Amino acid sequence: MCGAVARVKWDDFSEAFPAFMTLVATPLTFSIATGLSLGLLSFTFIKVGTGRHREISPLIWILSVLFLFRYAFLGSE
């Protein structure tokens, strides 16, 4: 776990904020799935917002859309 945190590019906001969001949201929501989904969504939104959408893989796009549908239609249960 600590090795993965050390590999994060903390000087790049579009990489650091989603990692931080995942690290904080997982224990606060008591759900690994919710923490990962919030981190993934923040990664997608920040990359699109900064104009670096070409760095997002097709799998991340699919997962982001599925997580958006989850939160839109099922709530945060």
Side-chain angles (χ1 to χ4, degrees):
M1 173 77 181
C2 291
V5 172
R7 288 191 304 259
V8 174
K9 299 176 191 170
W10 292 107
D11 56 343
D12 182 10
F13 181 76
S14 67
E15 299 284 334
F17 183 75
F20 176 75
M21 176 71 84
T22 303
L23 285 172
V24 171
T26 299
L28 290 179
T29 61
F30 298 105
S31 172
I32 294 171
T34 303
L36 288 174
S37 67
L38 290 175
L40 186 77
L41 286 172
S42 66
F43 176 80
T44 304
F45 289 144
I46 289 174
K47 289 288 185 181
V48 169
T50 57
R52 296 167 57 185
H53 56 85
R54 294 177 197 252
E55 297 178 12
I56 304 172
S57 71
L59 179 62
I60 301 295
W61 281 112
I62 292 168
L63 288 173
S64 295
V65 168
L66 290 174
F67 284 137
L68 277 175
F69 284 147
R70 175 188 183 257
Y71 287 118
F73 295 116
L74 297 179
S76 62
E77 296 182 33

